[in-house]
Amino acid sequence: MHISPVLWQFLVKWLNASALFPREASTIAPYADALYFFLLLITVVGLALVGILIFGFSIRYRKEKHPVAIQVEGSTLLEATWTIIPLALFLIVFVWGALLYFRIYNPPTNAMNIYVIGKQWMWKAEHPGGQHEINALHVPTGRPVQLTMISQDVFHSFSIPDFRVKREVIPGRYSTVWFQATTPGTYHIFCTQYCGTNHSAMIGEVTVLSPDDYDKWTQESTSGMSLAQNGERLFASMGCNACHSGSAAARGPNLAGVYGSKLQLTNGSQVLVNDAYLRDAILNPSQHITAGYAPIMPTYQGQISEDGLIDLVEYIKAMQSNYRVQQTLTTSTSNQAAPTTPGVMKP
């Protein structure tokens, strides 16, 4: 929609100042607002046009002026006009909305990924560097941020009105949305899906920092280990390295560099290895049997938390070789085979 930049800024600032409209704090916000105002405009124009016609017809064809009803013949031109114009407007809105949808839900390839877990009644954010936040989210300006979200219990809906971001958070399935913040400040996070007794208390804040301040925050807020490092420890402690060692005799498929590739399954189909596939393959391995391997992997359903699954997924995503897997496996085998020194009993 073409509109004067000065008029647009005046309209947006007036709405913000009057608390009638959220601030525009992301790159997608102006595009979403333009569609919203266009819908508002055609609604108001349509309402005014219908109201004027009803008022005019009620005066022109009132009983005093036409005591006897007369036959009014139809007009093909008139009928075509009131059919074609609304149809054209609906098609414009449809195409505009579809383009905006794909813009919002298809993150750039260079987007920074942050995991968000919804649970009654809080939001937990996990950064790849190991930063963990509760009902808070720190992001930099000028950099696209992708949120990979999942619910630990019931349906939730993650919403940042100032970013024009809203996405359902579903149990058992990852959903994604992205944004690029433009203005430093603090913005509200809401759950917009009724999720239980304390639904209204499931709120948080997004803190948008300059790139330098964000780098400083990440250094000061790290837990000491990244998600991938936590995943490596979990991978070894659960014995995953025994089958997925990458050797020729391994009982499980090689996981090094598998992320982003396509796997051939025993049923003949091909699947893209992404976050959702890795999560589901851990919980439901019998449904994702790689061609050439036996269905011997046990399910870990109910044995690992969503946090642990995120750690494992990040570790597999970052795995480019099997060197550390084999090293960990060798160390574990050596420790089990080493004889223990009997203790000396005192008389």
Side-chain angles (χ1 to χ4, degrees):
M1 183 176 69
H2 297 285
I3 187 172
S4 167
V6 176
L7 180 59
W8 177 266
Q9 290 298 320
F10 171 78
L11 177 62
V12 170
K13 289 183 178 180
W14 177 78
L15 289 170
N16 291 339
S18 59
L20 294 176
F21 212 68
R23 290 174 290 177
E24 288 185 342
S26 72
T27 53
I28 201 67
Y31 297 98
D33 291 349
L35 176 58
Y36 176 81
F37 287 130
F38 179 74
L39 287 170
L40 188 62
L41 175 64
I42 61 176
T43 301
V44 171
V45 171
L47 178 64
L49 180 61
V50 171
I52 291 171
L53 290 175
I54 291 176
F55 181 77
F57 290 157
S58 65
I59 297 298
R60 182 173 180 179
Y61 298 105
R62 65 188 185 274
K63 185 177 180 180
E64 291 80 3
K65 189 172 182 179
H66 293 276
V68 179
I70 60 174
Q71 179 66 29
V72 178
E73 298 296 333
S75 170
T76 303
L77 178 61
L78 182 60
E79 292 181 1
T81 301
W82 72 42
T83 300
I84 293 174
I85 292 179
L87 177 62
L89 291 174
F90 292 152
L91 289 176
I92 290 172
V93 171
F94 173 78
V95 173
W96 193 345
L99 294 174
L100 184 60
Y101 177 89
F102 288 117
R103 181 191 290 264
I104 292 174
Y105 293 113
N106 286 292
T109 55
N110 64 334
M112 177 179 68
N113 187 52
I114 299 175
Y115 292 93
V116 175
I117 302 174
K119 59 182 72 175
Q120 294 173 316
W121 287 272
M122 56 173 280
W123 298 107
K124 182 176 182 181
E126 298 196 353
H127 299 250
Q131 298 81 13
H132 304 278
E133 303 184 81
I134 302 295
N135 290 333
L137 180 63
H138 286 74
V139 296
T141 58
R143 183 176 178 183
V145 177
Q146 173 182 315
L147 302 181
T148 300
M149 303 178 291
I150 194 167
S151 170
Q152 190 168 296
D153 37 50
V154 299
F155 278 74
H156 300 283
S157 185
F158 186 89
S159 174
I160 310 175
D162 294 304
F163 293 173
R164 309 303 186 265
V165 164
K166 180 183 179 297
R167 188 67 160 167
E168 281 60 45
V169 183
I170 305 169
R173 192 177 77 187
Y174 287 134
S175 57
T176 61
V177 73
W178 78 278
F179 59 84
Q180 182 172 318
T182 57
T183 309
T186 303
Y187 308 94
H188 290 296
I189 300 174
F190 296 104
C191 177
T192 54
Q193 173 75 37
Y194 181 72
C195 56
T197 307
N198 294 329
H199 159 71
S200 60
M202 193 170 173
I203 57 178
E205 288 185 341
V206 180
T207 302
V208 179
L209 304 171
S210 66
D212 291 338
D213 289 339
Y214 178 75
D215 291 339
K216 182 180 179 181
W217 176 84
T218 56
Q219 294 171 6
E220 294 175 349
S221 305
T222 181
S223 60
M225 297 186 67
S226 66
L227 298 183
Q229 289 172 322
N230 288 330
E232 182 179 21
R233 295 178 62 181
L234 188 59
F235 189 84
S237 66
M238 296 178 65
C240 304
N241 52 4
C243 294
H244 299 282
S245 62
S247 64
R251 292 177 294 176
N254 181 13
L255 299 180
V258 72
Y259 186 80
S261 65
K262 288 189 175 182
L263 281 184
Q264 184 79 26
L265 303 183
T266 53
N267 60 9
S269 63
Q270 281 191 336
V271 293
L272 175 66
V273 180
N274 53 18
D275 297 45
Y277 172 80
L278 291 175
R279 180 187 180 278
D280 200 39
I282 295 170
L283 298 180
N284 304 292
S286 61
Q287 299 179 14
H288 307 278
I289 304 171
T290 304
Y293 292 91
I296 60 174
M297 180 174 169
T299 179
Y300 290 93
Q301 191 78 249
Q303 302 180 43
I304 183 171
S305 66
E306 287 296 342
D307 303 69
L309 286 167
I310 288 172
D311 293 341
L312 284 174
V313 168
E314 278 296 297
Y315 172 58
I316 297 172
K317 287 168 63 174
M319 187 189 299
Q320 297 301 320
S321 73
N322 291 294
Y323 173 75
R324 288 183 61 84
V325 176
Q326 294 172 356
Q327 188 180 44
T328 304
L329 185 60
T330 302
T331 303
S332 176
T333 305
S334 300
N335 290 338
Q336 293 176 3
T340 57
T341 303
V344 179
M345 298 182 63
K346 293 183 179 181

